[in-house]
Coordinates of all heavy atoms in Angstrom, one line a residue:
M10 N -198.1 -92.8 81.8 CA -197.7 -93.3 83.1 C -198.7 -92.8 84.2 O -199.0 -91.7 84.3 CB -196.2 -92.7 83.4 CG -195.7 -93.1 84.7 SD -193.9 -92.8 84.9 CE -193.6 -91.4 83.9
S11 N -199.1 -93.8 84.9 CA -200.1 -93.6 86.0 C -199.4 -93.5 87.4 O -198.4 -94.3 87.5 CB -201.2 -94.6 86.0 OG -202.0 -94.5 87.1
D12 N -199.9 -92.7 88.3 CA -199.3 -92.7 89.7 C -199.7 -93.9 90.5 O -198.9 -94.2 91.4 CB -199.7 -91.4 90.4 CG -199.2 -90.2 89.8 OD1 -198.2 -90.2 89.0 OD2 -199.7 -89.1 90.1
T13 N -200.7 -94.6 90.1 CA -201.1 -95.8 90.8 C -201.7 -96.8 89.8 O -202.4 -96.5 89.0 CB -202.2 -95.5 91.9 OG1 -201.7 -94.6 92.9 CG2 -202.7 -96.8 92.6
V14 N -201.2 -98.0 89.9 CA -201.6 -99.0 89.1 C -202.2 -100.2 89.9 O -201.6 -100.5 91.0 CB -200.5 -99.6 88.2 CG1 -200.9 -100.9 87.4 CG2 -200.0 -98.5 87.3
T15 N -203.4 -100.8 89.5 CA -203.9 -101.9 90.3 C -204.0 -103.1 89.3 O -204.3 -103.0 88.2 CB -205.4 -101.5 90.7 OG1 -205.3 -100.4 91.6 CG2 -206.0 -102.7 91.4
K16 N -203.5 -104.2 89.8 CA -203.5 -105.5 89.1 C -204.1 -106.5 90.0 O -204.1 -106.3 91.2 CB -202.1 -105.8 88.6 CG -201.6 -104.9 87.5 CD -200.4 -105.6 86.7 CE -200.1 -104.8 85.5 NZ -201.0 -105.1 84.4
W17 N -204.4 -107.7 89.5 CA -205.0 -108.8 90.3 C -204.1 -110.1 90.1 O -203.9 -110.5 89.0 CB -206.4 -109.0 89.8 CG -207.2 -107.9 90.2 CD1 -207.5 -106.9 89.4 CD2 -207.9 -107.7 91.4 NE1 -208.4 -105.9 90.0 CE2 -208.6 -106.4 91.4 CE3 -208.1 -108.4 92.6 CZ2 -209.4 -105.9 92.4 CZ3 -208.8 -107.9 93.7 CH2 -209.4 -106.6 93.5
A18 N -203.7 -110.6 91.2 CA -203.0 -111.9 91.2 C -204.1 -113.0 91.1 O -205.2 -112.8 91.3 CB -202.3 -112.1 92.5
T19 N -203.6 -114.1 90.3 CA -204.4 -115.2 90.1 C -203.6 -116.5 90.5 O -202.5 -116.4 90.8 CB -204.8 -115.3 88.6 OG1 -203.7 -115.5 87.8 CG2 -205.5 -114.1 88.1
S20 N -204.3 -117.6 90.3 CA -203.6 -118.9 90.7 C -202.4 -119.1 89.7 O -201.5 -119.7 90.1 CB -204.6 -120.1 90.7 OG -205.2 -120.1 89.4
S21 N -202.5 -118.6 88.5 CA -201.5 -118.8 87.6 C -200.5 -117.6 87.5 O -199.5 -117.6 86.9 CB -202.0 -119.0 86.2 OG -202.7 -118.0 85.7
R22 N -200.8 -116.5 88.2 CA -200.0 -115.3 88.3 C -199.9 -114.8 89.7 O -200.7 -114.1 90.3 CB -200.7 -114.2 87.5 CG -199.9 -113.1 87.0 CD -199.1 -113.6 85.9 NE -198.5 -112.7 85.0 CZ -197.5 -113.1 84.3 NH1 -197.1 -114.3 84.4 NH2 -197.0 -112.3 83.4
P23 N -198.8 -115.3 90.5 CA -198.7 -115.1 91.8 C -198.5 -113.6 92.2 O -198.2 -112.8 91.3 CB -197.5 -116.0 92.2 CG -196.7 -116.1 91.0 CD -197.7 -116.1 89.9
V24 N -198.7 -113.3 93.4 CA -198.6 -111.9 94.0 C -197.1 -111.4 93.6 O -197.0 -110.2 93.2 CB -198.7 -111.9 95.5 CG1 -198.4 -110.5 96.0 CG2 -200.2 -112.2 95.8
S25 N -196.1 -112.1 93.7 CA -194.8 -111.6 93.4 C -194.7 -111.1 91.9 O -194.1 -110.0 91.7 CB -193.7 -112.6 93.7 OG -193.9 -113.8 92.8
I26 N -195.1 -111.8 91.0 CA -195.1 -111.5 89.6 C -196.0 -110.3 89.4 O -195.6 -109.4 88.7 CB -195.5 -112.7 88.7 CG1 -194.5 -113.8 88.9 CG2 -195.6 -112.2 87.2 CD1 -193.1 -113.6 88.5
T27 N -197.2 -110.3 89.9 CA -198.2 -109.2 89.8 C -197.5 -108.0 90.3 O -197.8 -106.9 89.7 CB -199.5 -109.6 90.5 OG1 -199.9 -110.9 90.0 CG2 -200.5 -108.6 90.3
A28 N -196.9 -108.0 91.4 CA -196.3 -106.8 92.0 C -195.2 -106.2 91.1 O -195.2 -105.0 90.9 CB -195.6 -107.2 93.3
V29 N -194.4 -107.0 90.5 CA -193.3 -106.5 89.6 C -194.0 -105.9 88.4 O -193.6 -104.9 87.9 CB -192.4 -107.7 89.2 CG1 -191.5 -107.3 88.0 CG2 -191.6 -108.2 90.3
E30 N -195.0 -106.6 87.8 CA -195.8 -106.0 86.7 C -196.4 -104.7 87.0 O -196.4 -103.8 86.2 CB -196.8 -107.0 86.1 CG -196.2 -108.3 85.6 CD -197.2 -109.3 85.2 OE1 -198.3 -109.3 85.7 OE2 -196.8 -110.2 84.4
A31 N -197.0 -104.6 88.2 CA -197.7 -103.3 88.6 C -196.7 -102.2 88.7 O -196.9 -101.1 88.3 CB -198.5 -103.5 89.9
V32 N -195.5 -102.4 89.3 CA -194.5 -101.5 89.5 C -194.0 -101.0 88.0 O -193.8 -99.9 87.8 CB -193.3 -101.9 90.3 CG1 -192.1 -101.1 90.2 CG2 -193.8 -102.1 91.8
A33 N -193.7 -102.0 87.2 CA -193.2 -101.7 85.9 C -194.1 -100.8 85.1 O -193.8 -99.9 84.5 CB -192.9 -103.0 85.1
E34 N -195.4 -101.1 85.2 CA -196.5 -100.3 84.5 C -196.5 -99.0 85.1 O -196.7 -98.0 84.4 CB -197.8 -101.0 84.6 CG -198.9 -100.4 83.8 CD -200.2 -101.1 83.7 OE1 -200.2 -102.3 83.7 OE2 -201.2 -100.4 83.7
C35 N -196.5 -98.9 86.4 CA -196.5 -97.6 87.1 C -195.4 -96.7 86.6 O -195.5 -95.5 86.5 CB -196.5 -97.8 88.6 SG -196.9 -96.4 89.5
L36 N -194.3 -97.3 86.5 CA -193.0 -96.5 86.0 C -192.9 -96.5 84.5 O -191.9 -95.9 84.0 CB -191.8 -97.2 86.6 CG -191.7 -97.2 88.2 CD1 -190.5 -98.0 88.7 CD2 -191.7 -95.8 88.8
N37 N -193.8 -97.1 83.8 CA -193.8 -97.1 82.4 C -192.4 -97.8 81.8 O -191.7 -97.2 81.0 CB -193.9 -95.7 81.7 CG -194.3 -95.8 80.3 OD1 -194.9 -96.7 79.8 ND2 -193.9 -94.7 79.6
R38 N -192.2 -98.9 82.4 CA -190.9 -99.7 82.0 C -191.3 -101.1 81.7 O -192.3 -101.7 82.2 CB -189.9 -99.6 83.2 CG -189.3 -98.3 83.4 CD -188.2 -98.3 84.4 NE -187.7 -97.0 84.7 CZ -187.2 -96.7 85.8 NH1 -187.1 -97.6 86.8 NH2 -186.9 -95.4 86.1
N39 N -190.4 -101.8 81.1 CA -190.5 -103.3 80.9 C -190.1 -103.9 82.3 O -189.1 -103.4 82.9 CB -189.4 -103.7 79.8 CG -189.5 -105.1 79.6 OD1 -189.4 -106.0 80.5 ND2 -189.6 -105.5 78.3
P40 N -190.8 -105.0 82.8 CA -190.5 -105.5 84.0 C -189.0 -106.0 84.1 O -188.4 -106.0 85.2 CB -191.4 -106.7 84.1 CG -192.6 -106.3 83.3 CD -192.0 -105.5 82.2
M41 N -188.4 -106.4 83.0 CA -187.1 -106.9 82.9 C -186.1 -105.8 83.1 O -184.8 -106.0 83.2 CB -186.9 -107.7 81.7 CG -187.7 -108.9 81.5 SD -187.5 -110.1 82.9 CE -185.9 -110.7 82.6
E42 N -186.5 -104.5 82.9 CA -185.6 -103.4 82.9 C -185.7 -102.6 84.2 O -185.1 -101.5 84.3 CB -185.9 -102.5 81.7 CG -185.6 -103.2 80.4 CD -186.0 -102.4 79.2 OE1 -186.7 -101.3 79.3 OE2 -185.7 -102.8 78.1
L43 N -186.3 -103.1 85.2 CA -186.4 -102.4 86.5 C -184.9 -102.4 87.1 O -184.2 -103.2 86.9 CB -187.4 -103.1 87.5 CG -188.8 -103.0 87.0 CD1 -189.7 -103.8 88.0 CD2 -189.3 -101.6 86.9
E44 N -184.7 -101.3 88.0 CA -183.4 -101.1 88.6 C -183.0 -102.1 89.5 O -181.7 -102.2 89.9 CB -183.4 -99.7 89.2 CG -184.3 -99.5 90.3 CD -184.5 -98.1 90.6 OE1 -184.7 -97.3 89.8 OE2 -184.5 -97.8 91.9
M45 N -183.8 -103.0 90.1 CA -183.5 -103.9 91.0 C -184.5 -105.1 90.9 O -185.5 -105.0 90.2 CB -183.5 -103.4 92.5 CG -184.9 -102.9 92.9 SD -185.0 -102.4 94.7 CE -183.5 -101.6 94.9
S46 N -184.2 -106.2 91.5 CA -185.0 -107.4 91.5 C -185.8 -107.3 92.8 O -185.4 -106.9 93.9 CB -184.1 -108.7 91.5 OG -184.8 -109.8 91.8
L47 N -187.1 -107.9 92.6 CA -188.0 -108.0 93.8 C -187.3 -108.7 95.0 O -187.5 -108.2 96.2 CB -189.2 -108.7 93.5 CG -190.3 -108.7 94.6 CD1 -190.8 -107.3 94.8 CD2 -191.5 -109.6 94.1
V48 N -186.5 -109.7 94.8 CA -185.9 -110.4 95.9 C -184.8 -109.6 96.7 O -184.5 -110.0 97.7 CB -185.2 -111.8 95.4 CG1 -186.3 -112.7 94.8 CG2 -184.2 -111.5 94.4
E49 N -184.5 -108.4 96.2 CA -183.7 -107.5 96.9 C -184.4 -106.9 98.1 O -183.7 -106.3 99.0 CB -183.0 -106.5 96.1 CG -182.1 -107.1 95.0 CD -181.5 -106.1 94.1 OE1 -180.8 -105.2 94.7 OE2 -181.7 -106.2 92.9
V50 N -185.7 -106.8 98.1 CA -186.5 -106.1 99.1 C -187.4 -107.1 99.8 O -187.8 -106.7 101.0 CB -187.3 -104.9 98.6 CG1 -186.3 -103.9 98.1 CG2 -188.3 -105.3 97.5
V51 N -187.8 -108.2 99.3 CA -188.8 -109.1 99.9 C -188.6 -110.5 99.4 O -188.1 -110.7 98.3 CB -190.2 -108.6 99.7 CG1 -190.7 -108.8 98.2 CG2 -191.2 -109.4 100.6
D52 N -188.8 -111.5 100.2 CA -188.6 -112.9 99.8 C -189.9 -113.2 99.0 O -191.0 -113.3 99.5 CB -188.6 -113.8 101.2 CG -188.5 -115.2 100.8 OD1 -188.9 -115.7 99.8 OD2 -187.9 -115.9 101.6
A53 N -189.7 -113.3 97.7 CA -190.8 -113.5 96.8 C -191.5 -114.8 97.0 O -192.8 -114.8 96.9 CB -190.3 -113.5 95.3
D54 N -190.8 -115.9 97.4 CA -191.5 -117.2 97.6 C -192.4 -117.0 98.9 O -193.5 -117.5 98.9 CB -190.5 -118.3 97.9 CG -189.8 -118.7 96.5 OD1 -190.4 -118.5 95.5 OD2 -188.6 -119.2 96.6
A55 N -191.8 -116.4 99.9 CA -192.6 -116.2 101.2 C -193.9 -115.3 100.9 O -194.9 -115.5 101.4 CB -191.8 -115.5 102.2
L56 N -193.7 -114.3 100.0 CA -194.8 -113.4 99.7 C -195.9 -114.2 99.0 O -197.1 -114.1 99.3 CB -194.3 -112.3 98.8 CG -195.4 -111.2 98.3 CD1 -195.9 -110.5 99.5 CD2 -194.8 -110.3 97.3
D57 N -195.5 -115.0 98.0 CA -196.5 -115.9 97.3 C -197.2 -116.9 98.3 O -198.4 -117.0 98.2 CB -195.8 -116.6 96.2 CG -195.4 -115.7 95.1 OD1 -196.0 -114.6 94.9 OD2 -194.5 -116.1 94.3
D58 N -196.4 -117.5 99.1 CA -196.9 -118.5 100.1 C -197.9 -117.7 101.0 O -198.9 -118.4 101.5 CB -195.8 -119.0 101.0 CG -195.0 -120.1 100.2 OD1 -195.4 -120.5 99.1 OD2 -193.9 -120.5 100.7
L59 N -197.6 -116.5 101.4 CA -198.5 -115.8 102.3 C -199.9 -115.6 101.8 O -200.9 -115.7 102.5 CB -197.8 -114.4 102.7 CG -198.6 -113.5 103.7 CD1 -198.6 -114.2 105.0 CD2 -197.9 -112.2 103.8
F60 N -200.0 -115.4 100.5 CA -201.2 -115.0 99.8 C -201.8 -116.2 99.0 O -202.8 -116.1 98.3 CB -201.0 -113.8 98.9 CG -200.8 -112.5 99.7 CD1 -199.6 -112.0 99.9 CD2 -201.9 -112.0 100.3 CE1 -199.4 -110.9 100.7 CE2 -201.8 -110.8 101.0 CZ -200.5 -110.2 101.2
D61 N -201.3 -117.4 99.2 CA -201.9 -118.5 98.4 C -203.1 -119.2 99.1 O -203.7 -120.0 98.5 CB -200.8 -119.6 98.1 CG -200.4 -120.4 99.4 OD1 -201.0 -120.2 100.4 OD2 -199.7 -121.4 99.2
G62 N -203.4 -118.7 100.3 CA -204.6 -119.2 100.8 C -204.4 -120.3 101.8 O -205.2 -120.6 102.7
A63 N -203.3 -121.1 101.7 CA -203.0 -122.1 102.6 C -202.8 -121.8 104.0 O -203.0 -122.6 105.0 CB -201.9 -122.9 102.0
H64 N -202.3 -120.5 104.2 CA -202.1 -120.1 105.6 C -203.3 -119.6 106.3 O -203.3 -119.5 107.6 CB -201.1 -118.8 105.5 CG -201.9 -117.7 105.0 ND1 -202.1 -117.5 103.6 CD2 -202.4 -116.6 105.6 CE1 -202.8 -116.4 103.4 NE2 -203.0 -115.8 104.6
R65 N -204.4 -119.5 105.7 CA -205.6 -119.0 106.3 C -206.3 -120.1 107.0 O -206.5 -121.2 106.6 CB -206.6 -118.4 105.2 CG -206.0 -117.3 104.4 CD -205.6 -116.1 105.2 NE -206.7 -115.5 105.8 CZ -207.2 -114.2 105.5 NH1 -206.6 -113.6 104.6 NH2 -208.2 -113.8 106.2
R66 N -206.9 -119.8 108.2 CA -207.7 -120.6 109.0 C -209.2 -120.4 108.7 O -209.5 -119.3 108.3 CB -207.5 -120.4 110.5 CG -206.0 -120.6 110.9 CD -205.8 -120.3 112.5 NE -206.3 -119.0 112.9 CZ -205.6 -117.9 112.9 NH1 -204.3 -118.0 112.5 NH2 -206.1 -116.7 113.3
A67 N -210.0 -121.4 108.9 CA -211.3 -121.3 108.5 C -212.0 -120.2 109.3 O -213.0 -119.5 108.8 CB -212.1 -122.6 108.8
S68 N -211.6 -120.0 110.6 CA -212.2 -118.9 111.3 C -211.6 -117.6 111.1 O -212.0 -116.6 111.8 CB -212.1 -119.4 112.8 OG -210.7 -119.4 113.1
D69 N -210.6 -117.4 110.3 CA -209.9 -116.2 110.1 C -210.7 -115.3 109.1 O -210.7 -115.6 107.9 CB -208.5 -116.5 109.6 CG -207.6 -115.3 109.5 OD1 -208.0 -114.2 110.0 OD2 -206.5 -115.4 109.0
D70 N -211.2 -114.2 109.6 CA -212.0 -113.3 108.7 C -211.4 -111.9 108.7 O -212.0 -111.0 108.2 CB -213.5 -113.2 109.2 CG -213.6 -112.7 110.6 OD1 -212.5 -112.5 111.3 OD2 -214.8 -112.5 111.0
G71 N -210.2 -111.8 109.1 CA -209.4 -110.5 109.1 C -208.8 -110.3 107.8 O -208.5 -111.2 107.0
L72 N -208.5 -109.0 107.5 CA -207.9 -108.6 106.3 C -206.4 -108.8 106.4 O -205.8 -108.4 107.4 CB -208.2 -107.2 106.0 CG -207.4 -106.5 104.8 CD1 -208.0 -107.1 103.5 CD2 -207.7 -105.1 104.8
L73 N -205.8 -109.4 105.5 CA -204.4 -109.6 105.5 C -203.8 -108.8 104.3 O -204.3 -108.9 103.2 CB -204.0 -111.1 105.2 CG -202.5 -111.4 105.0 CD1 -201.7 -111.2 106.3 CD2 -202.4 -112.8 104.5
L74 N -202.8 -108.0 104.6 CA -202.2 -107.3 103.6 C -200.7 -107.0 103.9 O -200.3 -107.2 105.0 CB -202.8 -105.9 103.3 CG -202.8 -104.9 104.4 CD1 -201.7 -103.9 104.4 CD2 -204.2 -104.1 104.3
T75 N -199.9 -106.8 102.9 CA -198.5 -106.4 103.2 C -198.2 -105.2 102.3 O -198.7 -105.0 101.2 CB -197.5 -107.6 102.9 OG1 -196.2 -107.3 103.2 CG2 -197.5 -108.0 101.4
I76 N -197.3 -104.4 102.9 CA -196.9 -103.2 102.1 C -195.4 -103.1 102.1 O -194.7 -103.3 103.2 CB -197.4 -101.9 102.9 CG1 -198.9 -101.9 102.9 CG2 -196.9 -100.6 102.2 CD1 -199.6 -100.9 103.8
F77 N -194.8 -102.9 101.0 CA -193.3 -102.7 100.9 C -193.0 -101.7 99.8 O -193.8 -101.5 99.0 CB -192.7 -104.1 100.7 CG -193.2 -104.8 99.4 CD1 -192.5 -104.7 98.2 CD2 -194.2 -105.7 99.5 CE1 -192.9 -105.4 97.1 CE2 -194.7 -106.4 98.4 CZ -194.0 -106.2 97.2
T78 N -191.8 -101.2 99.8 CA -191.3 -100.3 98.7 C -190.5 -101.0 97.8 O -189.6 -101.9 98.2 CB -190.6 -99.0 99.3 OG1 -189.5 -99.5 100.1 CG2 -191.5 -98.2 100.1
F79 N -190.6 -100.8 96.5 CA -189.8 -101.5 95.5 C -189.7 -100.5 94.3 O -190.7 -100.0 93.7 CB -190.5 -102.7 95.1 CG -190.0 -103.5 93.9 CD1 -188.6 -103.9 93.9 CD2 -190.7 -103.8 92.9 CE1 -188.1 -104.5 92.9 CE2 -190.2 -104.6 91.8 CZ -188.9 -104.9 91.8
C80 N -188.5 -100.2 93.9 CA -188.2 -99.3 92.8 C -188.9 -98.0 92.8 O -189.4 -97.5 91.7 CB -188.5 -100.1 91.5 SG -187.4 -101.5 91.2
G81 N -189.0 -97.4 93.9 CA -189.6 -96.1 94.1 C -191.1 -96.1 94.1 O -191.8 -95.1 94.0
C82 N -191.7 -97.3 94.3 CA -193.1 -97.4 94.4 C -193.5 -98.1 95.7 O -192.7 -98.9 96.3 CB -193.7 -98.3 93.3 SG -193.6 -97.5 91.7
E83 N -194.7 -97.7 96.3 CA -195.2 -98.4 97.5 C -196.2 -99.5 96.9 O -197.1 -99.2 96.1 CB -196.0 -97.5 98.3 CG -196.6 -98.2 99.5 CD -197.4 -97.3 100.4 OE1 -196.8 -96.7 101.3 OE2 -198.6 -97.1 100.1
V84 N -195.9 -100.7 97.2 CA -196.7 -101.9 96.8 C -197.4 -102.4 97.9 O -196.9 -102.6 99.0 CB -195.8 -103.0 96.2 CG1 -196.6 -104.2 95.8 CG2 -194.9 -102.5 95.1
T85 N -198.8 -102.5 97.7 CA -199.7 -103.1 98.7 C -200.3 -104.4 98.1 O -200.9 -104.3 96.9 CB -200.8 -102.1 99.1 OG1 -200.2 -100.9 99.5 CG2 -201.7 -102.7 100.2
A86 N -200.2 -105.4 98.8 CA -200.9 -106.8 98.3 C -201.9 -107.1 99.3 O -201.7 -107.1 100.5 CB -199.8 -107.9 98.2
Y87 N -203.1 -107.3 98.8 CA -204.3 -107.7 99.6 C -204.6 -109.2 99.5 O -204.3 -109.7 98.5 CB -205.5 -106.9 99.2 CG -205.3 -105.4 99.4 CD1 -204.7 -104.6 98.3 CD2 -205.8 -104.7 100.5 CE1 -204.5 -103.3 98.5 CE2 -205.5 -103.3 100.7 CZ -205.0 -102.6 99.5 OH -204.9 -101.3 99.7
D88 N -205.3 -109.7 100.5 CA -205.6 -111.1 100.5 C -206.6 -111.6 99.5 O -206.8 -112.7 99.2 CB -206.0 -111.7 101.9 CG -207.2 -110.9 102.4 OD1 -207.7 -110.0 101.8 OD2 -207.6 -111.3 103.6
D89 N -207.3 -110.6 98.8 CA -208.2 -110.9 97.7 C -207.6 -111.0 96.4 O -208.3 -111.2 95.4 CB -209.4 -110.0 97.7 CG -209.0 -108.5 97.4 OD1 -207.8 -108.2 97.3 OD2 -210.0 -107.7 97.3
G90 N -206.2 -110.8 96.3 CA -205.5 -110.8 95.1 C -205.2 -109.4 94.5 O -204.5 -109.3 93.5
K91 N -205.8 -108.4 95.1 CA -205.5 -107.1 94.5 C -204.1 -106.6 95.0 O -203.6 -106.9 96.0 CB -206.4 -106.1 95.2 CG -206.3 -104.6 94.8 CD -207.4 -103.8 95.4 CE -207.2 -102.3 95.1 NZ -208.2 -101.5 95.8
V92 N -203.3 -106.0 93.9 CA -202.0 -105.6 94.1 C -201.9 -104.1 93.5 O -202.3 -103.9 92.4 CB -200.9 -106.4 93.5 CG1 -199.5 -105.9 93.6 CG2 -201.0 -107.8 94.0
T93 N -201.5 -103.2 94.4 CA -201.4 -101.8 93.9 C -200.0 -101.4 93.9 O -199.3 -101.8 94.9 CB -202.3 -100.8 94.7 OG1 -201.9 -100.7 96.0 CG2 -203.8 -101.2 94.6
A94 N -199.6 -100.5 93.1 CA -198.3 -99.9 93.0 C -198.5 -98.5 92.9 O -199.2 -97.9 92.0 CB -197.4 -100.4 91.9
T95 N -197.9 -97.6 93.8 CA -198.1 -96.2 93.8 C -196.6 -95.5 93.8 O -195.9 -95.8 94.6 CB -198.9 -95.7 95.0 OG1 -200.1 -96.3 95.0 CG2 -199.1 -94.2 95.0
R96 N -196.4 -94.7 92.8 CA -195.2 -93.9 92.8 C -195.0 -93.1 94.0 O -195.8 -92.3 94.4 CB -195.1 -93.0 91.5 CG -194.9 -93.8 90.3 CD -195.0 -92.8 89.0 NE -194.1 -91.7 89.2 CZ -192.8 -91.7 88.6 NH1 -192.5 -92.6 87.8 NH2 -192.1 -90.6 88.8
L97 N -193.9 -93.3 94.7 CA -193.7 -92.5 96.0 C -193.4 -91.1 95.7 O -193.7 -90.2 96.5 CB -192.6 -93.2 96.8 CG -193.0 -94.6 97.4 CD1 -191.7 -95.2 98.0 CD2 -194.1 -94.5 98.3
D98 N -192.6 -90.7 94.7 CA -192.2 -89.4 94.4 C -193.4 -88.5 94.2 O -193.3 -87.3 94.1 CB -191.2 -89.3 93.4 CG -191.6 -89.8 92.1 OD1 -192.6 -90.4 92.0 OD2 -190.9 -89.5 91.1
K99 N -194.6 -89.1 93.9 CA -195.8 -88.2 93.6 C -196.6 -88.1 94.8 O -197.6 -87.4 94.8 CB -196.6 -89.0 92.6 CG -196.0 -89.1 91.2 CD -195.7 -87.8 90.5 CE -195.1 -88.0 89.2 NZ -195.0 -86.8 88.5
R100 N -196.2 -88.7 95.9 CA -197.0 -88.6 97.2 C -196.3 -87.7 98.1 O -195.3 -88.1 98.7 CB -197.2 -89.9 97.8 CG -198.1 -90.9 96.9 CD -198.2 -92.2 97.4 NE -198.6 -92.2 98.9 CZ -198.5 -93.2 99.6 NH1 -198.1 -94.4 99.1 NH2 -198.9 -93.2 100.9
A101 N -196.8 -86.6 98.4 CA -196.1 -85.5 99.3 C -196.0 -86.0 100.7 O -195.0 -85.5 101.4 CB -196.9 -84.2 99.2
S102 N -196.8 -86.8 101.2 CA -196.8 -87.2 102.6 C -195.9 -88.4 102.9 O -195.8 -88.8 104.1 CB -198.2 -87.4 103.1 OG -198.7 -88.5 102.4
V103 N -195.2 -89.0 101.9 CA -194.4 -90.1 102.2 C -193.1 -89.8 102.6 O -192.4 -89.0 102.0 CB -194.4 -91.0 100.8 CG1 -193.4 -92.1 101.1 CG2 -195.8 -91.5 100.5
T104 N -192.6 -90.4 103.6 CA -191.2 -90.3 104.0 C -190.5 -91.6 103.9 O -191.2 -92.6 104.0 CB -191.2 -89.8 105.6 OG1 -191.8 -90.8 106.4 CG2 -191.8 -88.4 105.7
S105 N -189.2 -91.5 103.7 CA -188.4 -92.7 103.5 C -187.8 -93.2 104.8 O -187.4 -92.5 105.7 CB -187.3 -92.4 102.5 OG -186.5 -93.5 102.4
N106 N -187.9 -94.5 105.0 CA -187.3 -95.2 106.1 C -186.5 -96.3 105.6 O -187.0 -97.4 105.3 CB -188.4 -95.6 107.2 CG -187.8 -96.3 108.3 OD1 -186.6 -96.5 108.4 ND2 -188.6 -96.6 109.3
S107 N -185.2 -96.1 105.4 CA -184.4 -97.1 104.7 C -184.2 -98.3 105.7 O -183.7 -99.3 105.2 CB -183.0 -96.5 104.4 OG -182.3 -96.0 105.5
G108 N -184.4 -98.1 107.0 CA -184.3 -99.3 107.8 C -185.4 -100.3 107.7 O -185.3 -101.5 108.2
S109 N -186.6 -99.9 107.2 CA -187.7 -100.9 107.2 C -188.1 -101.0 105.7 O -188.6 -100.0 105.1 CB -188.8 -100.3 108.0 OG -190.0 -101.1 107.9
K110 N -188.0 -102.2 105.2 CA -188.3 -102.3 103.7 C -189.7 -102.9 103.5 O -190.3 -102.7 102.5 CB -187.3 -103.2 103.0 CG -185.9 -102.7 102.9 CD -185.0 -103.6 102.2 CE -183.6 -103.0 102.1 NZ -182.7 -103.9 101.5
A111 N -190.2 -103.6 104.5 CA -191.5 -104.3 104.4 C -192.2 -104.3 105.7 O -191.6 -104.4 106.7 CB -191.4 -105.6 103.8
S112 N -193.6 -104.4 105.6 CA -194.3 -104.5 106.8 C -195.6 -105.4 106.6 O -196.0 -105.4 105.5 CB -194.8 -103.2 107.4 OG -195.7 -102.6 106.6
L113 N -196.0 -106.2 107.5 CA -197.2 -107.0 107.4 C -198.2 -106.4 108.4 O -197.9 -106.0 109.5 CB -196.9 -108.4 107.8 CG -196.0 -109.1 107.0 CD1 -195.7 -110.5 107.6 CD2 -196.5 -109.3 105.5
R114 N -199.5 -106.3 107.9 CA -200.5 -105.8 108.8 C -201.7 -106.7 108.7 O -202.0 -107.3 107.6 CB -201.0 -104.4 108.4 CG -199.9 -103.3 108.5 CD -200.4 -102.1 108.1 NE -199.3 -101.2 108.0 CZ -199.3 -100.0 107.4 NH1 -200.4 -99.5 106.9 NH2 -198.2 -99.2 107.5
R115 N -202.4 -106.9 109.8 CA -203.5 -107.8 109.9 C -204.6 -107.0 110.6 O -204.4 -106.4 111.5 CB -203.2 -109.1 110.5 CG -204.4 -110.0 110.6 CD -203.9 -111.3 111.1 NE -203.6 -112.0 109.9 CZ -204.1 -113.3 109.6 NH1 -204.9 -113.9 110.5 NH2 -203.9 -113.8 108.4

């Protein structure tokens, strides 16, 4: 079991599926056996739409990423398709904020 797992989304493997797989691997579990569904913390369709490239303007050269917690992991999705999952209980500096489940940064 690794404290951080990196996976890559593709056109046939959207960010939402990649995030679930990264978290499951980070926790050494089957994706179908996670304690909750991704849709309990983030709108999976909106997440996929955000990173499908259609939202980007030709002049937009900024980094787009989103960070959310899911099943005890911090998940970060980047606009280049990179998705990381990091176990929160292994990170001493992380504090929990139950009022905020997800954030977008540009």
Side-chain angles (χ1 to χ4, degrees):
M10 175 170 29
S11 176
D12 290 342
T13 299
V14 171
T15 300
K16 292 197 168 281
W17 294 88
T19 65
S20 58
S21 63
R22 200 73 158 164
V24 170
S25 61
I26 299 297
T27 305
V29 170
E30 291 174 343
V32 167
E34 185 175 324
C35 190
L36 299 174
N37 197 30
R38 293 191 187 147
N39 180 310
M41 300 301 289
E42 297 172 351
L43 294 175
E44 62 196 46
M45 64 176 37
S46 170
L47 182 65
V48 298
E49 293 179 61
V50 296
V51 68
D52 182 328
D54 291 333
L56 181 66
D57 292 338
D58 289 346
L59 184 64
F60 290 98
D61 75 357
H64 70 283
R65 302 300 296 248
R66 299 182 304 271
S68 64
D69 189 3
D70 59 357
L72 174 67
L73 173 70
L74 62 96
T75 186
I76 301 169
F77 57 92
T78 56
F79 174 54
C80 293
C82 292
E83 178 180 272
V84 178
T85 305
Y87 299 86
D88 59 358
D89 64 356
K91 180 180 176 180
V92 178
T93 62
T95 302
R96 288 176 53 101
L97 291 176
D98 61 348
K99 298 291 183 179
R100 295 177 50 193
S102 64
V103 173
T104 59
S105 175
N106 181 354
S107 60
S109 175
K110 293 183 180 177
S112 65
L113 296 176
R114 295 182 189 165
R115 180 169 270 231

